[in-house]
Amino acid sequence: MDLTPREELDRRIAALQERMGTLSWDAVLIMLRADLFYFAGTAQNGVLVIPAEGDPILLIQKSVTRARQESPLDHIHPMRSISRFGETLSGIREMRFGTVGLEMDVVPAAVYLRLARQYPDTTWVDASVPVRELRMVKSSHEILRMRNAAAQLREMFDRVPEFLGVGIRELDVSVRLEAMLRKLGHQGTIRMHKWNSDSHYGPVSSGPTALYPHAFDGPVGTQGLYAAVPQGAGIRKIRPNEPVMIDFVSGYGGYHIDETRIYSLGPVAPELLEAHEFALTILRRIEDRLTPGALCSDIYEEIATDVNDHPLAPYFMGHGDNRVRFLGHGVGLELDELPVIAPRFEIALQPGMTIAVEPKVFLPDLGGVGVENTYLITEGGFEKLTTNPEEITIC
Amino acid sequence: MDLTPREELDRRIAALQERMGTLSWDAVLIMLRADLFYFAGTAQNGVLVIPAEGDPILLIQKSVTRARQESPLDHIHPMRSISRFGETLSGIREMRFGTVGLEMDVVPAAVYLRLARQYPDTTWVDASVPVRELRMVKSSHEILRMRNAAAQLREMFDRVPEFLGVGIRELDVSVRLEAMLRKLGHQGTIRMHKWNSDSHYGPVSSGPTALYPHAFDGPVGTQGLYAAVPQGAGIRKIRPNEPVMIDFVSGYGGYHIDETRIYSLGPVAPELLEAHEFALTILRRIEDRLTPGALCSDIYEEIATDVNDHPLAPYFMGHGDNRVRFLGHGVGLELDELPVIAPRFEIALQPGMTIAVEPKVFLPDLGGVGVENTYLITEGGFEKLTTNPEEITIC
């Protein structure tokens, strides 16, 4: 098992405590699996209590044994249920609970109300933004895991031409890719921060499928197999001379990488080629701005101004309901991390951020083209973690 | 696409409205994907407003186009965000909002608070139990989909002996099974009702792995690949003469089936065989009680009394932290549905309920044995939907 070193956790907890000091919060309660793993090194069920000062206390519902194996933290105790949280905690340490942070955008209302009843005088605040802002900047320990996740996709995308063929279903392509990733150590599930989101590796969208409307907050159209689970590959058979857009997510040690490449069986229509070149031009312009200090909102506005003058503007970043107002998003323990390259995200790029950038163009009746890379922001600018060829691969 | 007929939705909505009448609720807001699909026939993002009387209104964030394609409901409108919910709804219809139900055990605190600010005089109540109780009893439309999901597992389990071999990793077995299910039309993701749960098809646990502690609320031990994502197969290599416990979940049209079977390369130790026979005996005793009118809590207590006298009692239903206090659980659009065959669940069985029953025994150092079947409760008793042989399959 891949364990997180104590120094790594201490640094993260200290950084949150510093932020809590500024905000005058007394404690933050961490419950979301991705955040538990980030601060405690274990994703077992429970609550990590981080006080403004002093050691954190990890209260575990299941499994205490495993939490103790995985987490190097000193104070790990069993807890029967959230209804016993206050009682369990006060049996361990007296703690000031004047203002307490909770991951309010994901913790269910019933859990929040159950906690609020136990602490009638506490002011509850949303800790999600501070936590997500901390998690934006990856340590070298995390970057190593993201490199391993990138290697999964590098091999997967390289091998697409081995089996892509006329008449096979999108689903069959997806199954091959899913199996390849899993054999390479993909963890199976994809974590989304946004409540009520589904994601299963990502879409394989052939021709017009890339314009099919769906619930996911991304530009790539996808039909899926059922109305009940409207995501991922459908059963459309792949035809010659159309773009097959593969937008896949890998997973190693909890960390994701997001990458999109286009394949076709024989050359695609010239309009699609032109649109793909346009997307690559935009990608280069975004890359020129990927440098510490650049504001995400500025990058978005500058690129939007460039794009607006172009005849392909109406087809950029999604068709119809799928149109999105972002160019990229952070990626790490969750697929939808901060920062977002979008209006109003006045967040300055910093070394250690990992951002998926995805300029894409969708032409009615023809399909989707473009590229998505995940970048690591460095002192000097960026390093591209997804290094497969960016041109359309003609098989 | 597999669409839900209007009559089906009308019946479900009318049943909830009847319940709302009894409870004197003015409306229920449905947001969880599984529930949206159940009541509206679409899993696009949004809120379904079900008033105590009259037609429901579906407010959709993304995608309105697709929601209108999939849902036969009459009133489907776009909504920009939850913060605009009240404004959007009042522009469509004036509605009494004295007491309103919300899926409080899953809807995030931030969403609840955002709604509460828009309706300062509303009393908010938890609608999850009434909704989950409605969903317990499946219609023939739903049962057909569950039969299709059962067929996926029937073929999958039949084919395990084709490739199970000494020295292959649990992960490699899992990859084969995942790919088989997907090719047969598995939707990819598994839906859990419980917040913060991970599930990816299910564990493949060889020998002592079946006793490995984990976060999931089930008896089958599993290591997984990483501390960050502690579920599913690990990298342990399969050895001769040990039980390989495969506890997998299929998915067709949103509906799940849950089944467990045991395989071994050569015969297992006599203690394990005996423990497996014990689990089968318990299964038969539970089956004897699967009949309309039987109370879930009674079934649990009667079986617990039987088991307590047996020398295998300490090994029944999970080892160490994995020990659970249930014998079975409802399954349908989510894996963890009602009813639960457990203490205090005073729910009477009814025709149309679909319940996974999983008596299992875990012997230290040796591994896990037992069976899990999904049953349909019928007028006369039950029908077993998972029909693979229940003995240990020796490959």
Side-chain angles (χ1 to χ4, degrees):
Chain A
M1 278 280 152
D2 184 43
L3 301 183
T4 314
R6 173 69 184 256
E7 314 80 75
E8 189 78 14
L9 301 182
D10 285 348
R11 206 163 43 231
R12 297 172 189 175
I13 290 163
L16 184 61
Q17 286 177 324
E18 198 189 314
R19 188 96 185 83
M20 287 159 67
T22 318
L23 295 162
S24 302
W25 292 357
D26 298 307
V28 166
L29 309 187
I30 297 292
M31 280 183 241
L32 185 71
R33 293 272 186 119
D35 291 336
L36 274 174
F37 179 71
Y38 184 77
F39 288 111
T42 184
Q44 299 300 298
N45 266 345
V47 184
L48 178 69
V49 185
I50 305 182
E53 280 175 27
D55 288 349
I57 296 174
L58 181 57
L59 301 180
I60 290 287
Q61 289 178 265
K62 192 182 178 205
S63 142
V64 182
T65 306
R66 182 153 176 174
R68 287 183 174 141
Q69 284 168 14
E70 292 175 343
S71 175
L73 297 180
D74 292 326
H75 311 284
I76 304 177
H77 300 268
M79 175 180 66
R80 281 195 48 190
S81 71
I82 282 291
S83 308
R84 308 256 186 125
F85 171 82
E87 178 189 321
T88 311
L89 183 64
S90 66
I92 299 164
R93 195 191 298 166
E94 281 306 326
M95 226 181 251
R96 202 182 126 70
F97 255 47
T99 302
V100 178
L102 210 58
E103 300 139 312
M104 302 279 261
D105 58 349
V106 289
V107 168
V111 173
Y112 158 70
L113 294 172
R114 218 164 285 154
L115 287 167
R117 268 195 294 275
Q118 295 170 54
Y119 296 93
D121 300 326
T122 296
T123 303
W124 298 92
V125 289
D126 194 345
S128 275
V129 171
V131 167
R132 297 182 77 199
E133 283 180 355
L134 261 187
R135 280 182 34 207
M136 286 192 303
V137 180
K138 275 73 179 175
S139 67
S140 57
H141 176 89
E142 294 183 280
I143 291 164
L144 185 60
R145 275 137 195 90
M146 294 196 68
R147 288 188 195 286
N148 288 338
Q152 292 174 357
L153 285 176
R154 197 168 307 128
E155 178 161 347
M156 184 203 85
F157 278 113
D158 274 350
R159 292 177 54 190
V160 171
E162 289 176 17
F163 62 88
L164 201 70
V166 171
I168 70 171
R169 302 175 300 173
E170 291 174 2
L171 175 62
D172 300 313
V173 176
S174 194
V175 173
R176 290 289 291 261
L177 303 179
E178 294 165 19
M180 249 182 230
L181 287 175
R182 284 284 276 155
K183 284 230 163 216
L184 293 165
H186 193 298
Q187 63 215 26
T189 47
I190 311 290
R191 287 212 175 103
M192 300 281 302
H193 188 79
K194 196 182 173 203
W195 175 66
N196 218 11
S197 298
D198 286 321
S199 187
H200 183 72
Y201 299 99
V204 172
S205 297
S206 63
T209 303
L211 287 78
Y212 203 93
H214 60 89
F216 192 83
D217 189 21
V220 184
T222 177
Q223 187 170 12
L225 298 176
Y226 309 104
V229 189
Q231 49 95 10
I235 56 165
R236 186 177 180 280
K237 289 180 177 166
I238 290 169
R239 301 182 195 167
N241 311 107
E242 65 179 12
V244 179
M245 180 173 259
I246 301 177
D247 180 351
F248 254 50
V249 180
S250 58
Y252 180 97
Y255 288 87
H256 302 294
I257 290 282
D258 198 358
E259 181 174 358
T260 304
R261 291 295 186 267
I262 311 291
Y263 298 82
S264 71
L265 299 163
V268 299
E271 307 92 287
L272 284 164
L273 256 186
E274 205 180 292
H276 191 75
E277 290 309 314
F278 172 69
L280 287 178
T281 307
I282 298 297
L283 186 66
R284 297 288 93 84
R285 288 191 199 154
I286 299 172
E287 284 178 353
D288 289 343
R289 291 163 170 84
L290 291 182
T291 185
L295 288 189
C296 290
S297 48
D298 286 354
I299 298 175
Y300 184 86
E301 297 304 342
E302 287 162 31
I303 298 295
T305 307
D306 285 4
V307 169
N308 284 343
D309 297 335
H310 197 279
L312 286 170
Y315 310 107
F316 189 62
M317 293 311 287
H319 174 79
D321 292 8
N322 291 343
R323 200 108 200 253
V324 296
R325 295 228 327 142
F326 68 78
L327 293 167
H329 54 88
V331 56
L333 288 172
E334 292 171 319
L335 182 60
D336 50 346
E337 293 203 350
L338 296 177
V340 188
I341 303 184
R344 296 189 311 277
F345 279 84
E346 287 166 19
I347 299 176
L349 296 184
Q350 291 177 61
M353 284 182 174
T354 43
I355 305 176
V357 175
E358 50 178 325
K360 290 167 183 166
V361 180
F362 300 85
L363 299 183
D365 305 322
L366 295 176
V369 290
V371 158
E372 178 172 30
N373 285 324
T374 299
Y375 296 89
L376 168 65
I377 305 300
T378 61
E379 295 290 347
F382 66 85
E383 178 190 336
K384 187 155 51 172
L385 298 176
T386 46
T387 54
N388 303 81
E390 292 172 351
E391 295 300 327
I392 296 175
T393 301
I394 301 177
C395 309
Chain B
M1 278 279 152
D2 184 43
L3 301 184
T4 314
R6 173 70 184 258
E7 313 80 75
E8 189 78 14
L9 302 182
D10 286 348
R11 206 163 42 230
R12 297 172 188 175
I13 290 163
L16 183 61
Q17 286 177 325
E18 198 190 314
R19 189 98 184 82
M20 288 159 68
T22 319
L23 295 162
S24 301
W25 293 357
D26 298 307
V28 166
L29 309 186
I30 296 292
M31 280 183 242
L32 185 70
R33 293 274 186 119
D35 291 336
L36 275 174
F37 179 70
Y38 184 77
F39 288 110
T42 183
Q44 300 298 299
N45 266 344
V47 183
L48 178 69
V49 185
I50 305 182
E53 281 176 26
D55 288 351
I57 296 173
L58 181 58
L59 302 179
I60 290 287
Q61 288 177 267
K62 192 180 179 206
S63 142
V64 182
T65 306
R66 184 154 176 173
R68 287 184 174 140
Q69 284 168 14
E70 293 175 342
S71 175
L73 297 180
D74 292 326
H75 311 286
I76 304 177
H77 300 268
M79 175 181 67
R80 280 193 51 188
S81 71
I82 282 290
S83 307
R84 309 256 186 125
F85 171 81
E87 180 187 322
T88 310
L89 183 64
S90 66
I92 298 164
R93 195 191 298 167
E94 280 310 324
M95 226 181 253
R96 202 182 126 72
F97 255 46
T99 302
V100 179
L102 211 57
E103 300 138 312
M104 301 280 261
D105 58 350
V106 289
V107 169
V111 172
Y112 158 70
L113 294 172
R114 219 164 285 152
L115 286 167
R117 269 195 294 277
Q118 296 170 55
Y119 295 93
D121 300 325
T122 295
T123 303
W124 297 91
V125 289
D126 194 344
S128 275
V129 170
V131 167
R132 296 181 77 199
E133 283 181 354
L134 261 188
R135 280 181 34 207
M136 287 192 301
V137 180
K138 275 72 179 175
S139 67
S140 57
H141 176 89
E142 294 183 280
I143 291 164
L144 185 61
R145 276 138 195 89
M146 294 195 68
R147 288 189 194 283
N148 288 337
Q152 292 174 357
L153 285 176
R154 196 166 309 127
E155 177 161 347
M156 186 203 85
F157 279 113
D158 275 350
R159 293 177 56 189
V160 171
E162 289 175 16
F163 62 88
L164 201 70
V166 171
I168 71 171
R169 302 176 299 174
E170 290 174 1
L171 176 61
D172 299 314
V173 176
S174 194
V175 172
R176 290 290 290 261
L177 304 179
E178 294 165 20
M180 248 182 233
L181 287 176
R182 284 284 278 156
K183 285 229 163 216
L184 292 165
H186 192 299
Q187 62 215 24
T189 47
I190 311 290
R191 286 214 174 102
M192 300 281 302
H193 189 80
K194 196 181 173 203
W195 176 66
N196 217 13
S197 298
D198 286 321
S199 187
H200 183 72
Y201 299 99
V204 172
S205 296
S206 64
T209 303
L211 286 78
Y212 204 94
H214 60 88
F216 192 82
D217 189 21
V220 184
T222 177
Q223 186 170 13
L225 298 176
Y226 309 104
V229 188
Q231 50 96 9
I235 56 165
R236 185 175 181 280
K237 289 179 179 167
I238 290 168
R239 301 182 196 167
N241 311 106
E242 66 179 11
V244 179
M245 181 174 258
I246 301 177
D247 181 351
F248 254 50
V249 180
S250 59
Y252 180 97
Y255 288 87
H256 302 294
I257 290 281
D258 198 358
E259 181 175 356
T260 305
R261 290 295 185 269
I262 311 290
Y263 298 82
S264 72
L265 299 163
V268 299
E271 307 92 287
L272 285 164
L273 257 187
E274 205 180 293
H276 190 74
E277 290 309 315
F278 173 69
L280 286 179
T281 306
I282 298 297
L283 186 66
R284 296 288 92 83
R285 289 191 198 154
I286 299 172
E287 285 178 354
D288 287 343
R289 290 161 170 86
L290 291 182
T291 185
L295 288 188
C296 290
S297 48
D298 286 353
I299 299 176
Y300 184 86
E301 297 304 343
E302 287 162 30
I303 298 295
T305 308
D306 285 3
V307 169
N308 283 343
D309 296 335
H310 197 279
L312 285 170
Y315 311 107
F316 189 62
M317 293 311 287
H319 174 78
D321 293 8
N322 292 342
R323 200 109 199 251
V324 295
R325 298 233 318 146
F326 67 79
L327 293 167
H329 54 88
V331 55
L333 287 171
E334 293 171 319
L335 181 60
D336 50 347
E337 293 203 350
L338 296 178
V340 189
I341 303 183
R344 296 189 310 278
F345 279 84
E346 289 166 18
I347 299 176
L349 295 184
Q350 290 177 62
M353 286 182 173
T354 43
I355 305 177
V357 175
E358 49 176 327
K360 290 167 183 168
V361 180
F362 300 86
L363 299 184
D365 305 323
L366 294 176
V369 289
V371 158
E372 178 171 30
N373 284 325
T374 299
Y375 296 89
L376 168 66
I377 304 299
T378 62
E379 295 291 345
F382 65 84
E383 179 191 335
K384 188 156 52 171
L385 298 176
T386 47
T387 54
N388 303 83
E390 294 172 350
E391 296 299 328
I392 297 176
T393 301
I394 301 178
C395 310

